[in-house]
Structures are given as structure tokens and as C-alpha cells.
Amino acid sequence: MKNTLGKKEKIFVTLGLLAVLGIWYACKLPCLFQAIFQIPCPTCGMTRAYLALFRLDIRGAFSHHSLFWVIPILYLFFLTDGNFFKKKAQNLLFLIALLAFFLIRWFCLLISF
């Protein structure tokens, strides 16, 4: 038996996450990762990337965080209960590849920091 969220629960999770992010941004709270470790976090620049994207500045979005496009894909992955592909191994490999992209980008960011 699968333990998946229903449509109402997914809407609740989405609205809750958006509310937390909106409050965090409106209050101009600092990045906790950067405050604690004194280095940029793996998603450093993501907010600026989406603000640029909302202004239809795609070049600017890519310059702030080149992997901003991954977040909508991960959201769709969440909505489909992690079933993009028929085989579970393919879904897992897909997530590992996205994580590897983030880690490689973060490593490059840390080298230039």
C-alpha cells in the first residue's frame, strides 16, 4: 500500500510552503545556512533568479542561479508522487542527477567565494 498525499494535502503543503517563503522574504530574514556556516548555501541566488524570471529576465535568472528551472520540475515530481518514469530506479536516478547538478554548482560557487 502506497503512502501518498491526497490532492487536498498537496494543496495544503504548497500553500504552507508559499506562505513561509513569502513571510521569510517579506521580513528580509537572512539565509540560515549562510548565517551559521558563513558560506553560500546550495540555493544561494535562487530568490533573485525567480524575481528576475518574474520580470521576464531569463538571462538574469540564469546568472543568479543557473538551476532555477529545477524547482518546478521537483514540484511536478512531488505532485506525481515521484513517478515521472515507470521504473522506480529511473525516478531515483533522476533525483540523484538533480542533486548532483546542485552539488556541482555549489562546489563551483564555493571555489569562487
Side-chain angles (χ1 to χ4, degrees):
M1 182 167 82
K2 280 191 170 186
N3 187 14
T4 60
L5 296 175
K7 186 184 266 187
K8 288 181 183 179
E9 289 89 359
K10 288 179 183 179
I11 291 171
F12 183 73
V13 168
T14 300
L15 293 176
L17 183 60
L18 289 174
V20 168
L21 291 174
I23 291 168
W24 196 283
Y25 180 72
C27 294
K28 299 184 191 252
L29 297 173
C31 173
L32 290 178
F33 187 94
Q34 192 165 12
I36 294 169
F37 298 110
Q38 301 299 311
I39 58 173
C41 72
T43 61
C44 191
M46 193 67 77
T47 302
R48 288 172 288 167
Y50 276 102
L51 292 175
L53 184 65
F54 294 148
R55 292 189 310 268
L56 302 177
D57 180 12
I58 295 173
R59 184 179 293 166
F62 272 103
S63 70
H64 289 297
H65 198 293
S66 56
L67 296 175
F68 72 91
W69 53 270
V70 170
I71 301 302
I73 292 172
L74 287 175
Y75 183 68
L76 288 173
F77 199 76
F78 165 71
L79 290 178
T80 61
D81 296 323
N83 294 317
F84 267 6
F85 306 102
K86 290 182 181 182
K87 295 183 181 178
K88 187 175 182 177
Q90 290 173 324
N91 288 308
L92 183 60
L93 186 61
F94 177 71
L95 286 177
I96 291 171
L98 292 180
L99 177 63
F101 288 154
F102 265 95
L103 291 177
I104 291 167
R105 187 218 175 251
W106 187 41
F107 181 72
C108 294
L109 180 65
L110 290 177
I111 290 173
S112 67
F113 180 64

